[in-house]
Amino acid sequence: MASRASARLGRGGATVIALAGALAISERAGAQDWQMLEARRPARDTQPVHVALAYGVGTLRLEPADSGTLYDVRLRYDADRLVPTVEWQAGTRTLRVRTRLDGLRLPASGRTDLTLGLTARAPLDLDVQLGAVEAELDLTGLRVRSLDFASGASRATVRFDTAARQPLERLSLQVGAGTLRVLGLAQAQARRIDASGGVGEIVLDFAGSWTGDVEVDLALAIGQARLVVPPDVGVRVEAEARWLNRLDLPGFERDGDAWVSPGYASARRTMRVALTSVLGTLAIERR
Amino acid sequence: MMRRILQLGLAAAALVTGLGAQDRDLARRLDQARGLSGIQGLPSADQVSIGNRTIAAGALVKGPVVVARGALEVVGEIDGDAVVLDGDLYIRSGGLVRGQAVALGGKVELDGGRVDGEIRSLVTAADIAAAAAERTQRTRIQKGAVLAASLVLLLLLGIATTLIAQPALDGVATELERDFGRALLVGFLAELALTPVLGLAVVGLALTIVGILLIPFAIVAYALAVAGLVTLGVLGVARLIGAALGGDSARRLSASGASLRAVVIGAAVLMVPWGLMLAGGAVWPAGEWLLGIAAAGVSWVAATAGFGATLLSRVGMRPVRASASREVPVDQYAWATPTPVTGVAAARRPVATSGAAR
């Protein structure tokens, strides 16, 4: 009798604790404190600026800032879940923008939005790391000297709508499970591109006026890459002959260990693609 | 006596407790400001200015300047950081902040001034919503003021027109009453022709070489004339509406008094759609634009028809046309029926009457 009573008491206590826990969690999950953080700094000179952006979840828009502004950060976030950092290190001329989850929290019901405006007057070295982000990086008009882009499960678009005022000396792209589209890549005047994909998709659209030859170093696990290249550019693809890879190269001819587009030898501009892949797919579109 | 002392003691304790809570809140906000801005040299809570503060033009103040629960307006110079807790920071023209400009729970507004360091602000969503609501309320008050001013202006113009040019007003109102649709059509066509006519006038003046100098005056005169015609037309519409709604009491007034009364009533009625827009917007903000479109439509119809009637009546100076007083044919001898021997009651001999008068 006593044991049954204690068992009932134990079940009741567990129920109370579980209910209390559920209430605490639901209260925590429901608690939101949406805030808007704005930080901007006037541009006083044209010295190079390094930007380190690490952004977990939400939407991102990177764009040219107003003239006279070095950077303009606008972040809408839930202060109950996210801890943002926006700091300017004058010595190294580095802008760090970071968001960090504050402990273990359920996803916010609202949307975190980050808009980052950058100066068009100074050369920029961009280091962008994204988690699960819907991103639009409009680099048109910016003087981007280098871009290191890494994303987990993001869907991102990088665009160069007009010819860059500064050649993109370094372009490194790493995509995990998401999608990355780079548009107007010829406008960026990048000579060498390093791109790697996990299970995601990479689209490199080389639209725009070409000013020189391009080398693309492509590493794919089981993802796919699509390169859009103008018809007048000669393309040479050097791929390891693994039968699990898939190459979609319409009209290309075998040249030793490589595949070349018709008229490659006489083309005024050329692109060389070095592919390392396990189960990946490479497709080249001509338009 | 003891009871009174006890009450005073409790009040003092409550005051001290309240002040202590305020100090703690201020200290917490200062900590947040340090975290937000990275400024380490912020003063303690007892050195913070509470309420609005202005750094006057020409003044040079050593920073950091910290203001809580109020706005900081910088017209002079702060040699260091400017921090506002739960308020806005304004850097006006000529104002200079040599360090950072930080607002925690408010905004930083660069209104012609300069900040050498970073501008940083942090506001909660509730603050943003409250600011948006305040802006909406302010906008509504401004719209209400514009509406009231428009009504007053229309009334003044109506009174002046009734006193000075009542025949013109009567002529426009008569034209509207006779055929509103025609007036609307003519007004619409005239609106379409406004720009081409002005263009022709300008070209004509330019061709005469000497007239080139008159072009600016001609444009202004043309605009004034059109505005005058439209205003007269709108007043005519107002008079028509007012006369229709005025009831029998207007009959006791003189012609001028009745006309004035009708204009006042009609002008007020013409403003009703705009008033509905404002009132409706307060209750149903999303529908404000819909009510605004409806109000604009009503006003456009009134202005266009009035404009057309003004043109048709030649600014109210055209005499009443024959068509309006077309004689109804009568049998000249119909009244003279054969008289029975027993005789009939005498009837009046009919006279020719106008269609409008019937």
Side-chain angles (χ1 to χ4, degrees):
Chain A
M1 185 70 177
S3 65
R4 196 185 294 172
S6 69
R8 195 178 295 161
L9 194 67
R11 277 202 301 274
T15 308
V16 168
I17 291 168
L19 279 173
L23 276 173
I25 288 171
S26 64
E27 189 192 1
R28 201 68 198 147
Q32 292 186 351
D33 182 14
W34 287 97
Q35 300 196 341
M36 174 67 90
L37 170 65
E38 295 185 359
R40 64 182 191 274
R41 180 178 290 274
R44 297 270 176 251
D45 53 43
T46 56
Q47 296 297 309
V49 175
H50 179 225
V51 179
L53 169 65
Y55 185 48
V57 180
T59 66
L60 164 69
R61 177 162 177 80
L62 196 155
E63 61 190 11
D66 293 339
S67 62
T69 301
L70 190 65
Y71 60 81
D72 186 355
V73 183
R74 278 165 283 159
L75 175 67
R76 178 184 176 275
Y77 68 103
D78 180 5
D80 200 53
R81 290 172 172 76
L82 217 62
V83 180
T85 305
V86 179
E87 61 183 14
W88 168 252
Q89 293 171 348
T92 55
R93 292 184 63 81
T94 300
L95 170 68
R96 288 188 194 284
V97 180
R98 273 197 311 269
T99 57
R100 172 175 66 77
L101 276 176
D102 186 13
L104 187 62
R105 295 281 189 273
L106 294 173
S109 59
R111 203 180 61 179
T112 306
D113 295 316
L114 171 63
T115 304
L116 174 57
L118 295 172
T119 179
R121 292 168 58 191
L124 299 170
D125 296 315
L126 304 181
D127 183 358
V128 179
Q129 294 179 33
L130 306 178
V133 176
E134 185 90 30
E136 170 92 15
L137 282 69
D138 185 359
L139 306 182
T140 308
L142 293 180
R143 296 178 60 190
V144 183
R145 197 168 60 175
S146 71
L147 171 61
D148 286 279
F149 179 93
S151 74
S154 298
R155 189 163 59 182
T157 301
V158 180
R159 57 170 66 250
F160 300 88
D161 288 345
T162 58
R165 296 163 58 200
Q166 160 116 25
L168 188 56
E169 294 168 12
R170 172 185 161 78
L171 177 57
S172 170
L173 308 167
Q174 293 177 38
V175 178
T179 305
L180 170 66
R181 296 189 312 149
V182 187
L183 308 177
L185 200 40
Q187 316 265 36
Q189 300 170 32
R191 296 285 166 267
R192 181 179 171 78
I193 298 165
D194 291 304
S196 64
V199 296
E201 183 187 16
I202 302 174
V203 178
L204 304 179
D205 186 340
F206 289 86
S209 54
W210 282 56
T211 55
D213 298 338
V214 175
E215 285 188 15
V216 180
D217 209 337
L218 201 54
L220 297 174
I222 57 175
Q224 57 178 319
R226 188 155 54 92
L227 275 54
V228 181
V229 188
D232 58 337
V233 174
V235 182
R236 177 183 174 88
V237 178
E238 296 165 1
E240 293 172 20
R242 290 189 180 161
W243 62 275
L244 288 172
N245 290 333
R246 180 165 174 263
L247 298 176
D248 185 3
L249 309 171
F252 279 54
E253 297 160 356
R254 196 68 192 256
D255 179 20
D257 290 339
W259 285 263
V260 292
S261 62
Y264 172 76
S266 59
R268 186 164 165 266
R269 297 290 179 208
T270 61
M271 170 190 281
R272 189 186 67 80
V273 181
L275 174 67
T276 309
S277 174
V278 181
L279 271 169
T281 301
L282 170 66
I284 293 184
E285 278 181 33
R286 310 287 274 171
R287 58 181 160 86
Chain B
M1 184 64 182
M2 280 300 290
R3 195 172 168 184
R4 195 178 176 86
I5 291 170
L6 191 63
Q7 282 176 343
L8 283 170
L10 283 172
L15 186 65
V16 168
T17 311
L19 287 175
Q22 279 194 1
D23 280 350
R24 279 196 299 278
D25 183 51
L26 194 54
R28 184 177 59 82
R29 296 297 271 169
L30 274 168
D31 279 345
Q32 288 176 338
R34 283 187 195 99
L36 173 67
S37 63
I39 302 171
Q40 295 304 321
L42 290 182
S44 56
D46 56 351
Q47 292 172 305
V48 171
S49 302
I50 307 292
N52 295 340
R53 183 175 175 187
T54 300
I55 307 297
L60 173 61
V61 180
K62 182 79 181 163
V65 173
V66 184
V67 168
R69 301 178 200 123
L72 172 58
E73 192 169 8
V74 183
V75 193
E77 183 179 339
I78 295 176
D79 188 12
D81 303 314
V83 178
V84 178
L85 308 174
D86 300 314
D88 297 329
L89 171 52
Y90 302 97
I91 300 119
R92 305 288 188 204
S93 180
L96 172 62
V97 176
R98 293 208 176 275
Q100 294 190 52
V102 178
L104 181 64
K107 64 176 186 294
V108 180
E109 196 172 307
L110 208 56
D111 182 21
R114 202 184 93 188
V115 176
D116 282 349
E118 190 181 67
I119 297 168
R120 192 173 282 222
S121 65
L122 181 70
V123 289
T124 62
D127 293 332
I128 298 168
E134 191 188 330
R135 270 198 305 277
T136 307
Q137 183 63 19
R138 207 181 307 141
T139 308
R140 190 158 289 126
I141 289 170
Q142 284 170 352
K143 284 179 183 172
V146 169
L147 181 62
S150 304
L151 180 59
V152 169
L153 184 65
L154 200 56
L155 290 176
L156 289 175
L157 286 169
I159 292 167
T161 310
T162 307
L163 294 176
I164 299 166
Q166 194 190 338
L169 195 58
D170 289 346
V172 174
T174 305
E175 196 65 47
L176 280 164
E177 194 174 12
R178 183 184 298 150
D179 196 339
F180 188 87
R182 186 162 168 259
L184 184 63
L185 179 65
V186 170
F188 178 62
L189 294 174
E191 282 172 0
L192 292 178
L194 281 177
T195 308
V197 167
L198 178 63
L200 283 173
V202 169
V203 170
L205 285 172
L207 287 176
T208 62
I209 307 298
V210 179
I212 289 174
L213 295 173
L214 296 175
I215 288 175
F217 301 102
I219 291 172
V220 172
Y222 185 76
L224 286 174
V226 170
L229 292 175
V230 171
T231 305
L232 182 63
V234 170
L235 291 171
V237 173
R239 186 186 178 287
L240 188 66
I241 294 171
L245 298 176
D248 294 336
S249 56
R251 289 181 185 168
R252 290 195 296 271
L253 302 171
S254 65
S256 300
S259 180
L260 190 59
R261 184 173 182 276
V263 167
V264 170
I265 293 172
V269 169
L270 282 176
M271 288 296 166
V272 165
W274 295 103
L276 283 176
M277 182 198 78
L278 283 182
V283 181
W284 179 40
E288 188 171 341
W289 66 271
L290 205 63
L291 293 167
I293 289 173
V298 169
S299 298
W300 177 80
V301 167
T304 305
F307 185 36
T310 309
L311 295 176
L312 283 171
S313 66
R314 299 190 187 96
V315 200
M317 294 300 138
R318 192 179 68 168
V320 178
R321 288 197 316 165
S323 64
S325 57
R326 190 172 61 238
E327 286 187 356
V328 177
V330 293
D331 183 353
Q332 194 176 356
Y333 300 104
W335 65 278
T337 52
T339 309
V341 177
T342 52
V344 293
R348 292 184 65 189
R349 182 176 184 161
V351 293
T353 55
S354 70
R358 279 195 307 167

